[in-house]
Amino acid sequence: MKKILIVTVIVTIAGFITASDSFLQPKLQLHKTESQKQNSESDNPHNLSPELKKALNCKSCHACEYPTPGNPCLLDCPRGSMISVYHSPKEGPEIVLINEMSENYGGVVFSHRLHAEMSEMTTGCEGCHHYNTTGPILSCKGCHENKRMRENVAIPDLKAAYHRQCLTCHKQWSYENGCNTQCHLQKGSDIDVRREQAINKIKGRSHPLLPEPTKMIWETNYEEGKIVTFFHDEHFQVFKIKCNSCHKNDNCIKCHEKKENVDFTKPVKIKKTFDDHHMPCVNCHDGNSCKKCHREGEMSPFNHGKSTGWALSGFHSRLGCADCHGNSMPYKRLDRNCTSCHKNFVKGTFNHSRTGLILSEAHLEAECENCHINKDFSKAPQCASCHDDKSFPKDLPGKRNR
Amino acid sequence: MKNLDRRSFLKVAAAGVSASTLGASQVKGAEIKLDENRIGVLVDTAVCVGCRLCEWACRTAHHLPTDALETYADDSVFKEFRRPDKTALTVVNEFENEKNPLLPIHVKTQCMHCEKPACVSACIVGALTKNQDGSVVWDGDKCIGCRYCMVACQFQIPTYDYDVSIDPQIRKCDFCEDRRKEGLLPACVNICPNEALIFGKRCDVLKIAKERIKRKPEVYVNHIYGENEIGGTSWMYIASKDFDKLKMATLGSSPAPGISEAIQHGIFAYFVPPVTLYTLLGTFMWVLKRRKEKSPEEIGDTKKEVIEEKKDEKGEEL
């Protein structure tokens, strides 16, 4: 009864505040946890940040053309695409105690932070918290019913939700070696002691940093362009690409689970299709020709000056690729005109000394176009519009400062 | 006279056949009407981890001898392909996953509870019945142990107590009929830690299967095994690998008991076999009787002729 009252209050408040948006409120209560219900209109999924408003449209959440309060026709989860706020593993709890289904077991001590650190490299938070809207991160029991026999069987029950998260990676666990030793506490009089031990074992631990490969070279079966070189370090450090944009589908058992006769010093041979091999690259390099990667010999590291003829120095060398080239792939080619990017470079606001030349007082008065014909800054400046007998770079309109 | 007899025999036979076909058309019409909300189970093999808890739960629920639960973690049983037998109504098999060898595919096998079950149609005493709720169950009191059901089943499911001489049993999954009567879920569905077995209305679980394939086309093969196979089954499967590679028979969409059922049920309907049998026997007896009435003179004549001929031959020689 209390809950219904709170829900009604929320609906009324939201209705007053956002008259146009309020009609979508009721059904959304389904996906909220207890704590969220106490918050009022701040949880309204239509109160979106400006960036998210741009990224989402009605169809991102609603399946039908005209959602109504009675039938908001919300899309099924996962809605990973909707997640806009990313959290670091440190923000989450270090340990989570799972006790919902402890009739058979004494509960589970789950090393949440360790797992969050591991998944940061692959699926990120949404790998486990796969259904999350713009609000705070939901726990499993926020959506998954603790009942096997139920009306809506499309969403797994809580027992299955927990187990699926664990067993997708820990598939090789047995009762004696895994389930009962690593996860489920066994019932008994000393359960509190054992729980304490389990907690102490995890407390303060963090996942060791993974050694990052620098350069990888593959020999392919193709006759032309046999060698493919991949600079792993460059993609991470120079191009600033996040781990999980490539490693999204990696499974932790690649490193962690041991099965007999499997040598874990060698990578597991996984049969990949043509697509499996190429997708990680094609995701970004869609417009590039095959020859970009498939070469006759080893490739040299990326050099902006060599590849484009425009060596980056000073401020430019500190920028990320996307700062100039934008986020769309492949990167768009930029011209060398300063004002293409620096729209504010006009007379009066531009400090010419940054280019390495301090203009003399007389030249400070001149318009940019007087020397830089047609405002084309990529070409050498001309003195001819004012001086008949002077030419750059023999004569300078000031002093060099470097 | 002999010609006339044959003609009359053919007449009787023709009458028998027409009676049987007449019966067949009537039997087809009397098919069981399935409930709209009939039950079904979806086996999501991409979620199954091969823990074999379902095997243990099934044995326990059906009072079959079983080892301790802990022994089921032993995955050496996966070395060879297994089928349900008289000790296990369901078994889980392991298949290679080329995409990731560390995560093999597991497939549970049990009775599929066909929409149009071949075993029911093959059973000559009605020991197997298709219930309105979709389940196919066996009645030990009616069974005569002919094992026609075993031959008829396309999935090779019914098993037989060959080593029991008195009251041997046909065994197969009964969809946990007893448990469901008590308002419980089938034992395997109830215990599955990952809910790889989804129990519900057949139409609902079919929808879930379609939704899962649609949402994760990179994971699932676009095929719901059991949706249409031999007219549809109550248990349905979705998988990340082609079903023929998971040792699941490639079957068409037409139900197994089609023409055969019509003919067979026709033959057994309306006392056709006894009527035909007694008609045949009657005709045979009648023919014999007629022959006996005639025979003494006819046989005597021929004998006399033979003796006379022999005498002539001897006379010539002499």
Side-chain angles (χ1 to χ4, degrees):
Chain A
M1 223 17 228
K2 239 184 184 177
K3 280 179 198 171
I4 297 166
L5 266 176
I6 296 165
V7 171
T8 337
V9 169
I10 295 169
V11 174
T12 347
I13 295 169
F16 276 109
I17 290 168
T18 50
S20 58
D21 287 352
S22 64
F23 68 94
L24 286 137
Q25 192 75 9
K27 188 104 186 200
L28 288 157
Q29 303 305 328
L30 282 176
H31 308 299
K32 287 180 182 176
T33 55
E34 293 298 311
S35 62
Q36 278 174 287
K37 278 178 187 168
Q38 284 154 17
N39 295 334
S40 57
E41 72 276 1
S42 64
D43 276 358
N44 185 341
H46 296 101
N47 291 344
L48 304 172
S49 64
E51 309 94 67
L52 203 63
K53 255 184 192 159
K54 255 188 216 168
L56 297 178
N57 54 34
C58 307
K59 286 275 168 69
S60 314
C61 308
H62 301 281
C64 56
E65 204 68 46
Y66 302 106
T68 60
N71 177 25
C73 55
L74 291 168
L75 278 173
D76 283 333
C77 53
R79 290 194 238 161
S81 59
M82 281 188 68
I83 298 167
S84 58
V85 189
Y86 291 91
H87 302 267
S88 80
K90 284 202 172 68
E91 285 175 66
E94 187 176 17
I95 291 159
V96 174
L97 293 171
I98 302 166
N99 273 319
E100 276 76 26
M101 290 162 292
S102 48
E103 323 90 67
N104 303 323
Y105 291 95
V108 170
V109 178
F110 174 59
S111 51
H112 182 269
R113 187 165 297 161
L114 270 173
H115 281 84
E117 279 166 344
M118 284 184 273
S119 64
E120 198 187 18
M121 207 194 88
T122 57
T123 53
C125 303
E126 70 261 35
C128 297
H129 299 277
H130 52 136
Y131 172 80
N132 229 90
T133 53
T134 52
I137 285 183
L138 302 180
S139 64
C140 302
K141 59 186 167 190
C143 300
H144 296 277
E145 229 177 307
N146 188 6
K147 210 175 173 190
R148 178 69 37 115
M149 204 175 207
R150 62 198 186 281
E151 193 60 39
N152 182 7
V153 279
I155 302 169
D157 72 345
L158 189 58
K159 178 180 167 185
Y162 282 133
H163 279 119
R164 281 189 195 185
Q165 298 292 9
C166 303
L167 293 175
T168 344
C169 291
H170 299 290
K171 202 168 182 175
Q172 271 94 26
W173 271 5
S174 64
Y175 303 107
E176 290 89 357
N177 187 15
C179 306
N180 290 349
T181 51
Q182 307 279 331
C183 212
H184 292 278
L185 288 169
Q186 300 304 296
K187 277 195 164 174
S189 54
D190 60 338
I191 186 165
D192 293 331
V193 184
R194 280 185 283 117
R195 188 184 293 119
E196 221 32 61
Q197 281 173 349
I199 291 171
N200 288 333
K201 215 172 140 191
I202 304 163
K203 238 180 190 169
R205 271 179 70 188
S206 62
H207 193 270
L209 285 173
L210 293 164
E212 190 203 327
T214 49
K215 184 167 72 178
M216 292 150 108
I217 299 164
W218 289 282
E219 205 183 312
T220 64
N221 298 328
Y222 299 100
E223 272 180 26
E224 261 179 71
K226 226 179 160 77
I227 308 294
V228 174
T229 323
F230 175 67
F231 290 93
H232 192 279
D233 52 350
E234 246 171 30
H235 281 79
F236 181 62
Q237 290 160 12
V238 184
F239 309 144
K240 308 255 185 306
I241 292 164
K242 281 183 186 162
C243 305
N244 63 7
S245 53
C246 299
H247 291 281
K248 205 160 186 126
N249 295 321
D250 278 7
N251 197 311
C252 25
I253 66 164
K254 231 172 149 181
C255 307
H256 282 276
E257 287 286 327
K258 284 206 173 176
K259 205 179 182 182
E260 276 172 87
N261 311 323
V262 178
D263 181 3
F264 271 79
T265 54
K266 286 176 191 162
V268 183
K269 187 88 184 155
I270 292 172
K271 213 174 166 183
K272 284 183 177 174
T273 61
F274 182 86
D275 279 353
D276 292 337
H277 273 300
H278 292 87
M279 267 333 269
C281 304
V282 172
N283 270 340
C284 302
H285 296 279
D286 197 12
N288 293 122
S289 78
C290 308
K291 283 178 183 166
K292 169 122 186 148
C293 301
H294 288 271
R295 307 275 178 105
E296 294 309 323
E298 207 183 305
M299 248 159 79
S300 50
F302 177 73
N303 182 322
H304 202 276
K306 246 189 193 171
S307 313
T308 65
W310 171 272
L312 298 178
S313 62
F315 288 107
H316 287 134
S317 62
R318 273 178 255 153
L319 295 168
C321 309
D323 293 334
C324 299
H325 294 279
N327 281 319
S328 65
M329 290 286 173
Y331 283 146
K332 60 171 187 263
R333 188 181 280 272
L334 300 172
D335 63 21
R336 294 181 196 171
N337 235 326
C338 306
T339 46
S340 300
C341 299
H342 302 282
K343 306 274 187 224
N344 60 341
F345 281 8
V346 287
K347 193 188 151 193
T349 59
F350 180 63
N351 179 5
H352 203 281
S353 59
R354 278 186 176 174
T355 64
L357 193 133
I358 305 162
L359 290 178
S360 65
E361 242 175 81
H363 284 99
L364 274 175
E365 300 287 312
E367 296 290 329
C368 303
E369 292 97 320
N370 291 14
C371 304
H372 301 284
I373 308 301
N374 297 331
K375 277 197 172 181
D376 187 350
F377 300 93
S378 61
K379 285 180 183 153
Q382 302 289 319
C383 310
S385 52
C386 306
H387 313 278
D388 289 334
D389 54 342
K390 304 241 191 240
S391 71
F392 184 86
K394 210 175 84 190
D395 306 294
L396 295 173
K399 257 196 300 184
R400 283 205 188 274
N401 62 352
R402 60 177 134 112
Chain B
M1 275 309 282
K2 273 177 192 173
N3 284 339
L4 266 174
D5 285 342
R6 246 180 236 139
R7 228 173 263 164
S8 60
F9 167 74
L10 285 170
K11 270 180 195 166
V12 174
V17 170
S18 64
S20 72
T21 43
L22 186 88
S25 58
Q26 279 167 352
V27 164
K28 247 191 166 178
E31 222 168 59
I32 179 160
K33 214 180 166 196
L34 289 170
D35 196 335
E36 234 174 72
N37 293 333
R38 62 187 177 278
I39 52 173
V41 172
L42 174 67
V43 184
D44 189 342
T45 59
V47 175
C48 176
V49 286
C51 66
R52 294 172 60 222
L53 283 183
C54 49
E55 289 184 22
W56 176 84
C58 179
R59 281 200 179 103
T60 313
H62 292 91
H63 312 290
L64 292 167
T66 170
D67 292 330
L69 180 63
E70 285 72 28
T71 59
Y72 283 76
D74 173 24
D75 60 0
S76 65
V77 291
F78 290 136
K79 277 176 193 154
E80 54 185 61
F81 182 76
R82 299 179 302 151
R83 287 217 147 273
D85 57 27
K86 61 179 183 128
T87 64
L89 309 184
T90 184
V91 290
V92 180
N93 284 301
E94 189 175 272
F95 295 91
E96 200 188 335
N97 181 2
E98 286 86 2
K99 284 180 192 163
N100 191 347
L102 288 175
L103 297 172
I105 300 164
H106 294 97
V107 181
K108 180 184 181 289
T109 312
Q110 74 297 308
C111 172
M112 301 286 279
H113 296 272
C114 305
E115 297 269 271
K116 291 180 178 130
C119 57
V120 172
S121 84
C123 186
I124 53 172
V125 289
L128 281 152
T129 28
K130 175 80 178 166
N131 290 333
Q132 281 193 327
D133 69 2
S135 60
V136 178
V137 290
W138 174 79
D139 182 353
D141 296 339
K142 287 187 191 162
C143 182
I144 53 167
C146 70
R147 305 189 296 282
Y148 278 10
C149 51
M150 294 172 69
V151 183
C153 179
Q154 304 252 4
F155 302 102
Q156 303 174 45
I157 293 299
T159 59
Y160 188 66
D161 273 342
Y162 282 106
D163 49 357
V164 178
S165 51
I166 297 165
D167 196 21
Q169 308 270 308
I170 288 281
R171 290 225 171 91
K172 69 165 210 71
C173 162
D174 60 353
F175 228 135
C176 277
E177 204 185 17
D178 296 340
R179 278 179 64 91
R180 285 191 293 112
K181 270 178 199 160
E182 289 169 36
L184 297 168
L185 285 167
C188 53
V189 175
N190 191 52
I191 204 162
C192 182
N194 265 18
E195 209 176 24
L197 312 170
I198 302 151
F199 175 89
K201 291 177 197 166
R202 187 182 186 268
C203 53
D204 285 351
V205 294
L206 190 60
K207 250 186 237 163
I208 294 170
K210 282 178 183 164
E211 189 56 42
R212 287 195 181 178
I213 292 172
K214 195 175 137 200
R215 196 188 296 155
K216 288 187 180 169
E218 75 281 3
V219 173
Y220 297 104
V221 176
N222 189 14
H223 181 183
I224 303 167
Y225 192 90
E227 184 189 6
N228 299 315
E229 267 74 10
I230 54 163
T233 55
S234 302
W235 280 65
M236 290 169 285
Y237 290 74
I238 48 173
S240 58
K241 199 171 168 178
D242 284 332
F243 286 101
D244 56 336
K245 286 173 191 153
L246 300 174
K247 289 205 180 174
M248 293 177 81
T250 311
L251 301 165
S253 57
S254 54
I259 304 160
S260 61
E261 182 181 291
I263 293 171
Q264 199 188 11
H265 280 203
I267 287 168
F268 288 103
Y270 306 108
F271 301 103
V272 170
V275 169
T276 323
L277 182 70
Y278 286 118
T279 323
L280 277 171
L281 283 172
T283 322
F284 190 59
M285 282 169 73
W286 181 70
V287 171
L288 275 181
K289 205 182 165 193
R290 283 295 299 269
R291 277 188 73 175
K292 257 185 187 170
E293 279 170 4
K294 276 185 169 183
S295 59
E297 306 154 11
E298 282 174 11
I299 292 168
D301 289 347
T302 44
K303 265 184 184 173
K304 271 176 192 169
E305 279 168 20
V306 172
I307 293 162
E308 275 167 13
E309 272 174 20
K310 275 186 180 172
K311 267 183 182 173
D312 288 348
E313 280 169 13
K314 277 180 184 174
E316 276 170 24
E317 274 175 22
L318 285 166

